Amino acid sequence: MSNPAADRASSVNSVNSERSIRVLKPRRAAPEAAVRPTRAEIDLAALRHNLRALKRVAGDARVWSVLKADGYGHGAPAVARTLERAGIDGVAVALLEEAIELRDAGIRAPILVMGGYYGDAYEELLAHDLVPVVYHEGHFDALARATRTRGVSDRVLVHVKIDTGMGRLGVAPEQLASLLEYAAAFPQIKIDGLMTHLACADVAGEEGAQSIRAQLAEFARARATAAAHGITPRYVHAANTAGLLRASVDAKLDAVRPGIALFGVAPGAAEDRVAIELRQTLKLRSEIVALRTVEAGAGIGYGSTWRAARKSVIATVPVGYADGLPRSISERRAASAMLVRGKRAPIVGVLSMDLATIDVTDIAGARLRDEVVALGTQRGPHGEDTIRVEDLARDAGLIPWDVMTSISRRVPRFYREP
Ligand SMILES: Cc1ncc(COP(=O)(O)O)c(C=O)c1O
């Protein structure tokens, strides 16, 4: 559901930040309703920066921003609004429901619905001017029925998906000709795009490159099959972020579909990528709500899995696994930390549902209400450091996509315009 109030800028300043920032009202809670100091801050300038950087790499190819799963956890309406103002060519989502949320929020850019599952809601596709991805005969039947019911006179645009190796969604290349012959009976439906999805674009080295080449070759054959049926769509597209950034293979075609890079993460091995500077858009911050000094040998948290090796100062932070922080970071103690006063404080004890405990013994001056950063950058008296989504994902044994999309709905999102 859209919330018009979400758009309005307010002059709320973020607590404990060194410089004054303008914060837009959060989508899920008003600032005054966000009693707990835990929140996600989305840096809209970083988002625009990442789009510009991706556009430079994309060259003449259109950039369709992938904003499924609530804009990778950032809040899809606000992200889409920002990107639309910055000049995106289109948006891609997985679900019809996600597309409708964006239309309800006033997004006018073309929206591609990639999931291929429209239930009984084909008329909604037409009502909201959405572009469905299709890959079987039933899609054409149902769309044609919906155009009749709604009395639509314009041709409905669709993109046909071909499974060139992902093994997930799409028509098999050997069945494409028969699908296109079937589609020819529906003059009211126009095939405006052909798409496929790369399985190994972020696999390192020659193995990944070979896989992309093989899929692109299969896709080129599919394109030729379409041309033989008189179909020359405006958009032929294959590349996700890793495909777009791959240095040794050009997978750009007419359009690209980056998701994760918009939020600052470049997947795959650095040596496989074109040079690009991305900025993390997400900061997950809270504050110290309790401090205690414990003697050597004291246990912390469920199961007392961590015991103080020395007299220690332990800070309690109101962020837990129910906020989307993976519990596994606290089981891999060596690397996991949060930032306090610009310095890393190790996470100690296992993460609880609502609370984390960190060791601030070596953080001089740490006190109640100090800002704690679980993800993102912090500047403070002890310096400046960043906890990157990639680092947290690695510590947790997860992937960055998983970390971003897991930040739960009880964490209010604030949109920052530095
Ligand atoms: C079909 C399709 N295209 C593009 C993307 C964007 O991928 P990424 O976030 O890796 O750029 C996704 C996301 O998984 C996808 O499913």
Side-chain angles (χ1 to χ4, degrees):
M1 279 291 142
S2 66
N3 173 5
D7 242 340
R8 268 179 272 128
S10 78
S11 57
V12 179
N13 288 334
S14 92
V15 180
N16 283 349
S17 85
E18 276 147 284
R19 54 200 171 117
S20 177
I21 51 165
R22 196 159 64 89
V23 178
L24 300 186
K25 285 192 175 178
R27 198 162 63 91
R28 294 184 183 79
E32 56 275 18
V35 173
R36 189 174 64 143
T38 304
R39 65 191 192 212
E41 291 181 359
I42 319 300
D43 183 340
L44 298 178
L47 185 67
R48 286 192 294 269
H49 164 90
N50 295 337
L51 176 66
R52 280 194 301 274
L54 290 167
K55 278 188 157 191
R56 273 196 295 277
V57 179
D60 292 335
R62 305 274 170 125
V63 176
W64 290 63
S65 304
V66 179
L67 301 183
K68 53 189 180 154
D70 200 21
Y72 287 48
H74 290 62
V79 168
R81 251 180 239 126
T82 303
L83 293 175
E84 189 167 59
R85 287 183 197 130
I88 33 160
D89 299 310
V91 173
V93 293
L95 312 184
L96 176 59
E97 294 89 325
E98 293 172 335
I100 292 173
E101 183 187 28
L102 292 180
R103 279 284 181 260
D104 285 350
I107 300 303
R108 285 194 293 273
I111 302 181
L112 184 68
V113 188
M114 302 192 294
Y117 179 74
Y118 312 111
D120 295 325
Y122 282 77
E123 283 187 52
E124 297 288 330
L125 288 167
L126 308 181
H128 292 93
D129 193 19
L130 306 172
V131 182
V133 169
V134 299
Y135 45 83
H136 59 66
E137 294 175 356
H139 281 135
F140 287 90
D141 294 335
L143 266 178
R145 264 198 309 278
T147 57
R148 276 195 301 277
T149 316
R150 284 192 69 83
V152 171
S153 52
D154 292 346
R155 293 179 84 190
V156 179
L157 304 182
V158 300
H159 289 204
V160 171
K161 183 163 191 173
I162 298 130
D163 179 9
T164 60
M166 181 74 178
R168 198 174 67 169
L169 284 184
V171 57
E174 58 278 13
Q175 282 158 12
L176 178 62
S178 112
L179 181 66
L180 296 178
E181 276 148 32
Y182 192 80
F186 299 93
Q188 67 276 50
I189 301 174
K190 180 176 163 48
I191 297 175
D192 200 33
L194 285 184
M195 71 177 281
T196 194
H197 193 42
L198 302 173
C200 302
D202 58 358
V203 170
E206 199 39 35
E207 189 190 340
Q210 286 281 10
S211 168
I212 300 173
R213 280 190 211 104
Q215 283 197 260
L216 290 179
E218 188 70 66
F219 197 36
R221 285 191 284 278
R223 192 178 190 170
T225 303
H229 285 77
I231 296 163
T232 49
R234 275 192 298 172
Y235 305 114
V236 174
H237 50 108
N240 54 3
T241 296
L244 167 61
L245 299 184
R246 196 85 191 195
S248 63
V249 192
D250 186 350
K252 293 195 282 288
L253 302 170
D254 301 320
V256 293
R257 305 186 307 265
I260 195 97
L262 289 166
F263 308 105
V265 174
E271 58 274 19
D272 291 328
R273 286 198 297 267
V274 298
I276 188 164
E277 189 239 319
L278 299 172
R279 295 190 198 150
Q280 183 164 313
T281 47
L282 187 67
K283 174 172 175 177
L284 179 62
R285 56 87 70 197
S286 186
E287 290 174 9
I288 296 177
V289 295
L291 270 174
R292 72 202 63 242
T293 301
V294 298
E295 297 302 325
I300 296 293
Y302 286 118
S304 299
T305 56
W306 186 86
R307 285 195 182 276
R310 56 179 173 165
K311 187 173 182 179
S312 304
V313 184
I314 304 299
T316 305
V317 189
V319 59
Y321 62 78
D323 298 301
L325 265 191
R327 190 172 177 278
S328 52
I329 53 171
S330 56
E331 289 156 352
R332 299 167 191 236
R333 255 174 280 146
S336 303
M338 295 184 187
L339 304 177
V340 178
R341 298 186 158 246
K343 191 174 171 189
R344 281 175 190 250
I347 297 174
V348 295
V350 288
L351 210 58
S352 305
M353 186 184 286
D354 319 302
L355 298 165
T357 32
I358 56 177
D359 181 356
V360 294
T361 315
D362 295 329
I363 307 216
R367 56 181 149 84
L368 283 178
R369 297 223 56 204
D370 270 356
E371 183 191 64
V372 181
V373 170
L375 270 176
T377 299
Q378 188 188 54
R379 280 174 217 95
H382 299 307
E384 176 178 332
D385 206 342
T386 300
I387 303 208
R388 297 176 349 132
V389 174
E390 297 95 309
D391 299 340
L392 192 134
R394 194 198 44 242
D395 291 352
L398 297 173
I399 56 172
W401 294 259
D402 195 336
V403 169
M404 282 184 192
T405 58
S406 295
I407 306 294
S408 72
R409 62 180 292 243
R410 78 174 185 178
V411 179
R413 270 67 164 173
F414 283 71
Y415 297 98
R416 285 184 37 174
E417 283 289 4

